[in-house]
Structure formats: structure tokens, C-alpha cells
Amino acid sequence: MKRRPLLLLTVSGVMIAVAAVGFQKKPGGLLLLEWAGKSAEPRPPVAVLIELGLKDERPINWSGRATVTGARVVHREGYRFRDGDKLIDPDRWEASSHRPLRLPKGQPALTKIEGMATVGVVLHLADVQPDAKLTVSPRPESTDQEAAVALKDVLAGKPVPLWGGAAVVRLITTATPVVTAKTEDDFPAACYGPDGTLWVAYISYTLKDESRRIEQAPYKEQPKDFKALYRPEFGDQLFVKYYRDGKWSEPIAVTDGKQDLVRCAIAAKGDGTVIVVYSANRGGRHDLYARTVSPKLGKEQRLTGGGSGDEGVAYLSPVMSTTQSGELLLASQVWRKDGLAGIFHQTGLTLRDDGWSSRMSGIGGGAASWHVAIAVGSEGQWRIACDEYLGGDYDVMLPYRGTATESSGGGDRNPVASSSRFEARPSICYDPAGRLWIAYEEGPEKWGKDYGALDSNDGYPLYNERSVRVVCLVDGKLMRPAAELPTSSVPVPKLPFDALTSNRYERQTRYAYPKIGIDGKGRVWLTYRQKFGTRYSSHPGSYWLTFARRLDGDKWSEPIEVHHSDGLLDHRPVLLPHPAGGLRIIHNTDGRYTTPESLDNQIYMSYIDLPGEPVEPRLVPHEPGRKDEKLVQRAREEQEAVKRIRAYRIEAGGKKYQP
């Protein structure tokens, strides 16, 4: 017993030393970093938020002024501004905290729980000196004290509270608009070209009825029919833009505006050819289509659906990357005609005006494979990750791997997380040391099972608890950061429950949809969604914000808000290294939190960095986990019950009926 602490210390030291050696023996060479560095962009401005009214219990006037010494203010914008709030040049504003958007009147208990909606001002700062200082001079009803803040602390990621926590100054990402049209713009994909040009593909949807942008207005009388609501036409359109020399190009229309698209992917070949791939519904089936967008817009090519036995197969949600040899690697989810979902992958994709070719392709994976992710390493290696429904729950797997000349996998799924918990939505990337980083979402056992109005004791509601986890694959061994991430723990509500119980339950913190990537110095960053508020604090639906954190040694940085990332749950930003050393994020917002009176899906580009040089992450062993055999057996029984229900038939009056 006395030897155990020494043994643990020795083992930990060996693991750290091995990890350090691994970090040193592969000092770089990632094509992603090389191409990102070709753009030679200057360091963007930084952004700080002055958020006011954090403790307000009624609307308070927070009009004021902010001046900066030791830096230049190059841009200002309101944060959560509503009608009557405004900026006044050069450094003032008039604004108040507000009641939540949909808070019902006459319910003081709900009002107390919800609190007031904060308000603030965002400052973009350039030429920041070490002694830069921000001075906030408010005119609220609660204080007339001037506050001075050393920006050095804020830019290090440390929120600085003001007036006893009634306000705060904190670092956020420097978000600038990419697409702000009246169309609903979402599902961004992005890549660098060999010359450092940034390419962004996205899908736009044209609303069929502008009056229903937010919600259907209540009818004043019974309508004769609902024909006016029937708008069956497709309305998606795929666009591509590029960013070069600090300017965005005009959008390139890849398709017309009458498409039904399920996400897109974009990547550049080593010779500079940029190809976009998208899943489109043509004639009732979804296939993958591709077009070159550089050096010119090429002819559309259909990549799937032409072979024998391919009837009734759907290809969805493509992802792409560029191998170290300059070839394209493509993967997508595929629904087979037997009703099972697998993984389609293809390497060496080449497009010509008279057709296309690839070096290798195949379909495989488990019985229910979802959420495909892809990554390429510095030595030509690549991996494909997905989640699979196995044993009654979802697990994270690495079913495919390969090099520049061959691929393998599919039979050995290489589990990353395979307990009886919900483990899904993986995101992966390689760092310069050759380590594969995997982030995924985690939920409780028995998620979404046997929970409802008649039984609230045997399962968990959907999205009752959600946390994010990070794992690392080093020389074939699974490790994880010693640094801990927050865990969502939400007690299961007992049904039925009243409005106050419902409100408290909705307000519980949840984390979801992780994305992992590296910055311009090869450091690991994680973004994830965090749940806020309730149905009363936002437009119809809930609202989530994305936060970014950097892994430094044995700790994660404090969470940093990705500005203009507010919206519903499903949010999949693209994380890329920035040539100035920080992290570039391409992301979507609908504005329901930041600009609540202008609800519109738009695409932004964010930049974030923190001071300090790369610090070797401290890693500890990770176990994928084991199944609870009782839960596995229960899942088998459920599957058999479903088969019996689907096979059940009744004969009556000479006809057969089925559920």
C-alpha cells in the first residue's frame, strides 16, 4: 500500500515524458498549417464585451460611455439591443436591460427566476499596447461610479466584474459578417487553398412566406382551408465565397435556388483546384454531386447512384479534407436500401468536364452510422470517425483509416467511447505531433427511453443531460487530457410538473455539439454549445451559444463566447488555424439572443487567441468503457418487441391492416 502513491507518480511522469517525446519527434508538417500560413494575414483586432445588467430584477437604464487608452477602437456594435437602444458617436450609448422576450405578464415568480435580459456594447480594438485601459462611465440608476479595467487581464481570457457583479467586461471572439442576406444562410464548410485563400461554401434557403419568418401569427377566425400554408417547392441554393487579401469575393452560385440540399463540403487539391461536394435530392433520392469552383466553375458531376444495386440508397452530409499528397478525401453517411446506415468514403477525387474519377471508394460501417467526421495527419495518415448505434445506445468509433496509397478499416471499429451511455457526434483533428484528437457529446444511460407522462422513473428525457468529452489517440493508445471539462447534471423531473418546475428544468446547463481543431501555432481548441434560458427568454425554440476553450498543459482556458453564434441547438462551426497564430471559426447565427429584433440566419467569421506559447498537454489513460449487460439485454428485448409490432396484422372485411 505504501508503494502505490510513488508508483502512480512514476507512471504519470513516464506518461508525460512519453507524450513530450511524441510531441518533439513530429514537429510539424501539417498541410493545413502550411496552407493557412500562405495567406500572410495580419493579426485581426480583438473584441471585448461590456455586458450590463447581470443582476437586474427590473429594467434599468444602463446608458453610458466607454473610452480606451493604449488601443484604437475600430468598430462598435450593440449587444442584445432592442427598440430604443442605440449607439451614439463616438463613444456613448443609450440602452437599458429588458424583460425577457416572451415572459408572460402577471407571474412574478417566473419574472424573478428569469431575471432581466442584459444589454451591452462590443468594442473591436487594434494596436493594443501592454498598458491599454478601458474606462466605463455609466449612467445607471444603480451606480454612478466610473470603472477602469486593465485590458491585459481581459485579453488573457479573465472576465473582470464591475460594481459587485452588476456588469462584466470579458473577451469574446472578433466576429465579422460573411453572409448577411435576407435568405436563411447556414451549414458552412470551409478550407484553405495552397495559396492561402480561404474558401467557404454554404447553403441559402429562400423563405416562401416572410410573414412566418419567426412564427405563424394566431388566426383571428377559423380559416376556410390551409392551402396558403402549402408551399411544397424546394428553396435551397449552394454558394461559395473566397477570402483573399482581406476581402470577400462575390458569391459564386453553384446550384440554382430550387434545390433540396443536405449539407456540403469543400476542399482544395494540391494543384489549387477547389471542389465543392453536396448532397442533393433529385427525383426523390439523395446523391452526392460535385463541381470545381476554382480555377473556374466546372460542370456538375454526379458521384453516386450510378452503380448496380444502388437503387434506394441515399448519400447525406458529406465531409472532405486534403491529404498530405494533395489528394481529396471524401466521406458521407449512406442509407442503404435495407434501411441501415453506413459510411461511404472515396479518395483521389478528380473532376473533368467529361466526367470524374477516384482512386478508391467503398461503403461500410455499422448498422446505424451517423455524424461522419474526417481528419488528415502530417505523415499522410487519415481517419474517419462516426457514431454507431450498438447494444441499445450510441458509441463513438474510428472505423476507417488509411494512408496516401491504401485504406483499411470497417471491420475493426476501434471504439473511442463505448459504454452504455449516449456517446455521439464526434469531431476529430490531428495536431502537428501526429496525435488524433476526438471530441464527442455524452449523455446518460437509458437516454430517451421509457420516459413520459405515464412513466418518469425508468428513463431519461431527450437532452436531459449533455456534456462534452475529449480523447486523444497517441501511437495507437487512447489518452485524454488531465484537464477536466464541466459536466451537465440535470435531475430528472417527475411528471406532471407545474410551470415553475418546468422553467427551472429548462434553465439547467447542458453542453453539446463539440468541435475540435488547432490554431496557427498547432494548439488544440475546443468549441461546444451551451444551453441558456427558457421558452420565455427567446423566440420559439430554445437558445444556445457556442464557447471556445484552449488546452494548455493541465488546464482548459476559461470559456470564451463565440460572438454571433446564438441560435438553436444544431450548430457546426468550422475551426481553422489563423496565420497570425490564433483560431479562425466560420459559424452561423440566427440572432435570437444577440440581435433579438432581427431574426435571420447569417454566417460570420470569428478570430480568437490568448497570450502564451504552446504548452504540451498533460495526458492520462482513457478507457472506452463497457456495456451494462442488463441494458444490452433490455435493448434486445425492445428490438424484438418493435419487430412484433411492425409484423402485427389484422384481417377484417377481407383486408389486412397493420400499425
Side-chain angles (χ1 to χ4, degrees):
M1 293 296 294
K2 293 181 179 179
R3 294 182 180 180
R4 184 169 296 173
L6 179 59
L7 177 61
L8 290 175
L9 181 62
T10 304
V11 171
S12 299
V14 170
M15 287 189 298
I16 295 171
V18 169
V21 170
F23 182 72
Q24 294 169 4
K25 74 179 181 181
K26 302 171 185 175
L30 272 177
L31 196 65
L32 177 62
L33 286 172
E34 179 185 335
W35 287 4
K38 294 289 183 66
S39 63
E41 289 180 52
R43 184 182 180 89
V46 296
V48 298
L49 166 66
I50 307 165
E51 188 174 13
L52 308 159
L54 274 69
K55 293 186 175 182
D56 291 356
E57 296 181 357
R58 59 183 176 85
I60 297 291
N61 182 357
W62 282 97
S63 300
R65 177 188 184 195
T67 57
V68 178
T69 57
R72 288 189 302 114
V73 179
V74 296
H75 174 70
R76 292 194 309 156
E77 61 182 90
Y79 184 84
R80 306 189 76 184
F81 272 20
R82 293 203 212 163
D83 187 36
D85 300 333
K86 60 183 178 181
L87 297 174
I88 303 173
D89 290 335
D91 52 20
R92 297 181 180 273
W93 63 85
E94 291 181 359
S96 301
S97 56
H98 299 273
R99 287 172 55 87
L101 274 175
R102 301 164 64 84
L103 187 68
K105 295 181 180 180
Q107 295 199 34
L110 280 179
T111 302
K112 185 175 182 180
I113 293 174
E114 284 289 322
M116 295 293 109
T118 60
V119 70
V121 176
V122 175
L123 304 178
H124 289 197
L125 308 175
D127 303 328
V128 181
Q129 304 301 311
D131 60 348
K133 184 174 68 173
L134 168 68
T135 302
V136 185
S137 305
R139 198 181 68 233
E141 301 169 25
S142 58
T143 181
D144 58 1
Q145 298 176 352
E146 186 176 83
V149 176
L151 285 173
K152 181 179 179 180
D153 296 334
V154 178
L155 300 185
K158 301 174 183 177
V160 177
L162 306 179
W163 307 300
V168 68
V169 178
R170 55 187 172 92
L171 178 69
I172 61 175
T173 67
T174 307
T176 55
V178 178
V179 183
T180 57
K182 289 302 290 183
T183 47
E184 299 297 290
D185 303 293
D186 200 352
F187 313 114
C191 73
Y192 285 110
D195 62 351
T197 299
L198 174 67
W199 294 85
V200 175
Y202 58 95
I203 296 173
S204 294
Y205 175 76
T206 300
L207 290 176
K208 299 296 186 289
D209 184 352
E210 184 64 33
S211 68
R212 300 172 64 207
R213 174 177 288 273
I214 297 178
E215 61 183 322
Q216 170 68 40
Y219 287 106
K220 296 181 180 179
E221 58 184 22
Q222 179 70 27
K224 179 181 178 181
D225 55 49
F226 297 96
K227 290 182 179 179
L229 302 180
Y230 181 61
R231 304 291 181 91
E233 303 88 0
F234 295 150
D236 290 341
Q237 187 169 15
L238 178 63
F239 289 98
V240 170
K241 297 181 76 170
Y242 62 85
Y243 185 73
R244 185 184 296 150
D245 299 327
K247 296 180 180 179
W248 284 104
S249 71
E250 291 298 314
I252 302 168
V254 178
T255 70
D256 61 29
K258 298 184 181 299
Q259 301 291 318
D260 177 22
L261 305 175
V262 183
R263 302 192 180 276
C264 60
I266 192 168
K269 296 179 64 176
D271 63 5
T273 302
V274 180
I275 294 177
V276 61
V277 176
Y278 44 100
S279 172
N281 179 359
R282 307 278 173 83
R285 59 165 291 154
H286 281 87
D287 281 304
L288 299 182
Y289 295 82
R291 294 185 78 172
T292 59
V293 293
S294 177
K296 65 177 182 178
L297 184 62
K299 181 181 178 181
E300 182 181 81
Q301 305 286 354
R302 178 177 170 181
L303 304 182
T304 60
S308 60
D310 212 19
E311 300 83 5
V313 178
Y315 297 83
L316 309 172
S317 302
V319 292
M320 276 204 299
S321 189
T322 308
T323 67
Q324 286 295 104
S325 60
E327 289 190 331
L328 295 189
L329 177 61
L330 166 68
S332 78
Q333 185 191 40
V334 53
W335 279 95
R336 303 190 293 255
K337 58 185 177 182
D338 58 5
L340 302 179
I343 304 297
F344 167 78
H345 72 283
Q346 189 176 77
T347 58
L349 175 63
T350 298
L351 299 187
R352 305 180 303 274
D353 287 340
D354 61 346
W356 62 273
S357 63
S358 67
R359 194 162 44 76
M360 291 182 291
S361 65
I363 296 177
S369 302
W370 295 80
H371 207 92
V372 185
I374 201 167
V376 173
S378 59
E379 296 188 340
Q381 74 277 36
W382 55 264
R383 297 297 290 247
I384 293 175
C386 67
D387 54 53
E388 296 184 354
Y389 192 76
L390 299 168
D393 63 90
Y394 280 94
D395 299 322
V396 175
M397 303 289 172
L398 295 170
Y400 288 96
R401 63 185 182 275
T403 64
T405 58
E406 60 182 14
S407 65
S408 61
D412 182 4
R413 293 188 173 94
N414 298 294
V416 172
S418 55
S419 73
S420 289
R421 299 176 68 83
F422 172 89
E423 295 145 332
R425 301 195 176 100
S427 170
I428 60 176
C429 77
Y430 279 97
D431 68 11
R435 295 173 292 211
L436 180 69
W437 294 86
I438 308 107
Y440 61 92
E441 183 178 326
E442 182 184 82
E445 296 179 349
K446 300 187 293 184
W447 65 274
K449 291 178 182 275
D450 303 320
Y451 179 90
L454 302 179
D455 186 354
S456 58
N457 298 313
D458 294 329
Y460 288 85
L462 296 173
Y463 292 100
N464 177 72
E465 293 178 356
R466 281 295 184 271
S467 304
V468 296
R469 299 287 179 252
V470 174
V471 175
C472 182
L473 186 63
V474 186
D475 296 328
K477 296 180 180 180
L478 284 174
M479 311 289 284
R480 60 176 174 81
E484 296 290 340
L485 288 164
T487 294
S488 169
S489 180
V490 183
V492 178
K494 303 300 180 183
L495 296 171
F497 46 82
D498 57 23
L500 288 179
T501 302
S502 175
N503 182 271
R504 292 189 182 98
Y505 174 69
E506 288 184 25
R507 291 180 63 84
Q508 296 293 317
T509 302
R510 298 160 176 87
Y511 311 96
Y513 274 89
K515 293 286 286 186
I516 199 157
I518 58 171
D519 66 12
K521 292 186 177 180
R523 298 171 291 197
V524 174
W525 284 79
L526 173 73
T527 67
Y528 54 80
R529 297 294 268 172
Q530 185 170 336
K531 171 78 166 59
F532 287 87
T534 70
R535 68 191 70 183
Y536 305 124
S537 56
S538 181
H539 292 289
S542 60
Y543 80 85
W544 299 66
L545 289 170
T546 293
F547 287 83
R549 307 181 80 161
R550 192 178 78 188
L551 181 60
D552 292 319
D554 60 354
K555 67 179 186 300
W556 290 96
S557 68
E558 291 297 312
I560 301 166
E561 179 184 334
V562 178
H563 189 33
H564 290 301
S565 67
D566 44 318
L568 298 174
L569 170 61
D570 192 339
H571 181 263
R572 309 184 192 187
V574 183
L575 277 54
L576 294 170
H578 193 283
L583 181 72
R584 169 174 271 152
I585 310 172
I586 309 296
H587 55 95
N588 160 268
T589 180
D590 70 6
R592 62 181 49 237
Y593 178 80
T594 308
T595 56
E597 293 186 342
S598 178
L599 198 65
D600 178 24
N601 276 282
Q602 301 176 340
I603 295 174
Y604 275 76
M605 177 172 68
S606 272
Y607 173 80
I608 188 64
D609 197 7
L610 293 169
E613 292 303 311
V615 179
E616 175 66 11
R618 183 184 168 211
L619 304 174
V620 297
H622 167 76
E623 292 294 332
R626 296 182 178 181
K627 300 290 185 190
D628 183 324
E629 288 303 320
K630 292 182 179 179
L631 296 180
V632 172
Q633 179 59 33
R634 181 175 174 178
R636 293 194 188 105
E637 294 169 357
E638 289 173 349
Q639 291 167 358
E640 290 300 318
V642 170
K643 288 181 181 178
R644 290 195 298 273
I645 292 172
R646 290 177 175 171
Y648 186 72
R649 300 291 184 271
I650 296 176
E651 256 191 71
K655 293 183 179 181
K656 284 188 177 182
Y657 298 89
Q658 66 189 68

Short mmCIF file of all heavy atoms in Angstrom, two decimals, residues 443-462:
data_model
loop_
_atom_site.label_atom_id
_atom_site.label_comp_id
_atom_site.label_asym_id
_atom_site.label_seq_id
_atom_site.Cartn_x
_atom_site.Cartn_y
_atom_site.Cartn_z
N GLY A 443 -24.23 11.68 -23.03
CA GLY A 443 -25.48 11.76 -22.28
C GLY A 443 -25.62 10.57 -21.35
O GLY A 443 -24.76 9.68 -21.30
N PRO A 444 -26.70 10.49 -20.60
CA PRO A 444 -26.84 9.43 -19.60
C PRO A 444 -27.24 8.09 -20.21
O PRO A 444 -27.61 8.01 -21.39
CB PRO A 444 -27.96 9.97 -18.70
CG PRO A 444 -28.80 10.79 -19.63
CD PRO A 444 -27.83 11.42 -20.60
N GLU A 445 -27.15 7.05 -19.42
CA GLU A 445 -27.70 5.75 -19.82
C GLU A 445 -29.22 5.88 -19.96
O GLU A 445 -29.85 6.73 -19.33
CB GLU A 445 -27.36 4.68 -18.78
CG GLU A 445 -25.86 4.41 -18.64
CD GLU A 445 -25.57 3.37 -17.58
OE1 GLU A 445 -26.52 3.03 -16.82
OE2 GLU A 445 -24.42 2.91 -17.48
N LYS A 446 -29.78 5.03 -20.79
CA LYS A 446 -31.24 4.98 -21.00
C LYS A 446 -31.80 6.33 -21.44
O LYS A 446 -32.92 6.69 -21.10
CB LYS A 446 -31.95 4.50 -19.73
CG LYS A 446 -31.53 3.11 -19.28
CD LYS A 446 -32.38 2.62 -18.12
CE LYS A 446 -32.13 3.42 -16.85
NZ LYS A 446 -32.88 2.89 -15.70
N TRP A 447 -30.99 7.09 -22.21
CA TRP A 447 -31.47 8.38 -22.68
C TRP A 447 -32.65 8.18 -23.64
O TRP A 447 -32.66 7.31 -24.49
CB TRP A 447 -30.34 9.15 -23.39
CG TRP A 447 -29.89 8.45 -24.65
CD1 TRP A 447 -28.97 7.46 -24.76
CD2 TRP A 447 -30.39 8.68 -25.97
NE1 TRP A 447 -28.84 7.06 -26.06
CE2 TRP A 447 -29.71 7.79 -26.83
CE3 TRP A 447 -31.34 9.55 -26.53
CZ2 TRP A 447 -29.94 7.75 -28.21
CZ3 TRP A 447 -31.58 9.50 -27.89
CH2 TRP A 447 -30.88 8.61 -28.71
N GLY A 448 -33.67 9.01 -23.46
CA GLY A 448 -34.82 8.98 -24.35
C GLY A 448 -35.65 7.72 -24.28
O GLY A 448 -36.51 7.50 -25.14
N LYS A 449 -35.46 6.88 -23.28
CA LYS A 449 -36.17 5.60 -23.20
C LYS A 449 -37.15 5.60 -22.03
O LYS A 449 -36.81 6.01 -20.92
CB LYS A 449 -35.18 4.44 -23.03
CG LYS A 449 -34.31 4.18 -24.26
CD LYS A 449 -33.32 3.06 -23.98
CE LYS A 449 -32.41 2.81 -25.15
NZ LYS A 449 -32.99 1.92 -26.14
N ASP A 450 -38.36 5.13 -22.29
CA ASP A 450 -39.34 4.86 -21.23
C ASP A 450 -39.54 6.05 -20.31
O ASP A 450 -39.64 5.91 -19.09
CB ASP A 450 -38.92 3.64 -20.40
CG ASP A 450 -38.75 2.41 -21.27
OD1 ASP A 450 -39.56 2.22 -22.17
OD2 ASP A 450 -37.79 1.65 -21.05
N TYR A 451 -39.58 7.24 -20.89
CA TYR A 451 -39.86 8.43 -20.08
C TYR A 451 -41.01 9.17 -20.73
O TYR A 451 -40.99 9.45 -21.94
CB TYR A 451 -38.64 9.34 -20.00
CG TYR A 451 -38.90 10.60 -19.19
CD1 TYR A 451 -38.67 10.62 -17.82
CD2 TYR A 451 -39.42 11.74 -19.79
CE1 TYR A 451 -38.94 11.75 -17.07
CE2 TYR A 451 -39.69 12.88 -19.05
CZ TYR A 451 -39.45 12.89 -17.70
OH TYR A 451 -39.72 14.01 -16.95
N GLY A 452 -42.02 9.49 -19.92
CA GLY A 452 -43.15 10.23 -20.45
C GLY A 452 -44.18 10.47 -19.38
O GLY A 452 -43.92 10.29 -18.19
N ALA A 453 -45.35 10.89 -19.81
CA ALA A 453 -46.39 11.26 -18.86
C ALA A 453 -46.80 10.11 -17.96
O ALA A 453 -47.25 10.32 -16.84
CB ALA A 453 -47.61 11.79 -19.63
N LEU A 454 -46.66 8.87 -18.44
CA LEU A 454 -47.09 7.70 -17.67
C LEU A 454 -45.94 7.02 -16.93
O LEU A 454 -46.16 6.09 -16.16
CB LEU A 454 -47.78 6.69 -18.58
CG LEU A 454 -49.01 7.21 -19.34
CD1 LEU A 454 -49.59 6.13 -20.24
CD2 LEU A 454 -50.07 7.73 -18.37
N ASP A 455 -44.71 7.44 -17.18
CA ASP A 455 -43.56 6.79 -16.54
C ASP A 455 -42.38 7.76 -16.55
O ASP A 455 -41.77 8.01 -17.58
CB ASP A 455 -43.19 5.52 -17.30
CG ASP A 455 -42.08 4.74 -16.58
OD1 ASP A 455 -41.56 5.24 -15.57
OD2 ASP A 455 -41.75 3.63 -17.03
N SER A 456 -42.05 8.30 -15.39
CA SER A 456 -40.92 9.22 -15.30
C SER A 456 -39.81 8.67 -14.41
O SER A 456 -38.96 9.41 -13.93
CB SER A 456 -41.39 10.57 -14.73
OG SER A 456 -41.98 10.40 -13.45
N ASN A 457 -39.80 7.35 -14.22
CA ASN A 457 -38.83 6.74 -13.32
C ASN A 457 -37.83 5.81 -14.00
O ASN A 457 -36.81 5.48 -13.41
CB ASN A 457 -39.56 5.94 -12.23
CG ASN A 457 -40.46 6.80 -11.37
OD1 ASN A 457 -40.04 7.87 -10.91
ND2 ASN A 457 -41.70 6.38 -11.17
N ASP A 458 -38.10 5.37 -15.23
CA ASP A 458 -37.29 4.31 -15.83
C ASP A 458 -36.35 4.79 -16.93
O ASP A 458 -35.63 3.98 -17.52
CB ASP A 458 -38.20 3.22 -16.40
CG ASP A 458 -38.97 2.50 -15.29
OD1 ASP A 458 -38.42 2.41 -14.19
OD2 ASP A 458 -40.10 2.07 -15.54
N GLY A 459 -36.36 6.06 -17.28
CA GLY A 459 -35.51 6.54 -18.35
C GLY A 459 -35.19 8.01 -18.18
O GLY A 459 -35.40 8.59 -17.12
N TYR A 460 -34.66 8.59 -19.24
CA TYR A 460 -34.27 10.00 -19.22
C TYR A 460 -34.87 10.71 -20.42
O TYR A 460 -34.87 10.17 -21.53
CB TYR A 460 -32.75 10.15 -19.27
CG TYR A 460 -32.06 9.75 -17.99
CD1 TYR A 460 -31.72 8.42 -17.74
CD2 TYR A 460 -31.75 10.70 -17.03
CE1 TYR A 460 -31.08 8.05 -16.58
CE2 TYR A 460 -31.11 10.34 -15.86
CZ TYR A 460 -30.78 9.01 -15.63
OH TYR A 460 -30.16 8.65 -14.47
N PRO A 461 -35.35 11.93 -20.24
CA PRO A 461 -35.87 12.68 -21.39
C PRO A 461 -34.74 13.00 -22.37
O PRO A 461 -33.56 13.02 -22.01
CB PRO A 461 -36.40 13.98 -20.76
CG PRO A 461 -36.41 13.76 -19.29
CD PRO A 461 -35.43 12.70 -18.99
N LEU A 462 -35.09 13.25 -23.62
CA LEU A 462 -34.09 13.68 -24.60
C LEU A 462 -33.46 14.98 -24.12
O LEU A 462 -34.14 15.90 -23.67
CB LEU A 462 -34.75 13.88 -25.97
CG LEU A 462 -35.33 12.63 -26.64
CD1 LEU A 462 -36.08 13.02 -27.90
CD2 LEU A 462 -34.23 11.64 -26.96
#
